[in-house]
Amino acid sequence: MSKYVFVYHAPMTPAQAAPPAPEDMAAVMGEWNAWAGKVGNGLVDFGTPLANGVRVAADGSTAPSQREVAGYSIIEADNLEAAVQLAKVHPHLNMPGGCEIEVHEAQQIPGM
């Protein structure tokens, strides 16, 4: 089993979005929890929403220039294809604004 990082992209961070009605939030979290149930013991870190990202480079810091990074999760899966299949049924993809998920395989650190 390998670890995979899901990076959630959205037009804005959850902190920037209008607060949802409590019943809407409960419905969305129900969908996320159902997805987590599909992943089962492979869910290493459910993750959290992210906000106020700053891109840091040797020549300075800037605000992110592309779609906002809205959150992350870490899962374990047999292979990249299995991780991508879990991403394809993730409720984040149904959120307004054309949300996306990047899937990255966590690699071993050389020499460790």
Side-chain angles (χ1 to χ4, degrees), residues 21-73:
E23 60 274 9
D24 294 337
M25 188 62 181
V28 168
M29 288 311 301
E31 291 175 9
W32 278 68
N33 287 325
W35 176 83
K38 289 179 190 174
V39 179
N41 291 336
L43 187 60
V44 174
D45 183 346
F46 188 83
T48 184
L50 299 172
N52 302 320
V54 176
R55 187 176 308 247
V56 178
D59 60 352
S61 300
T62 62
S65 60
Q66 297 184 1
R67 298 177 63 78
E68 292 287 338
V69 174
Y72 76 95
S73 294

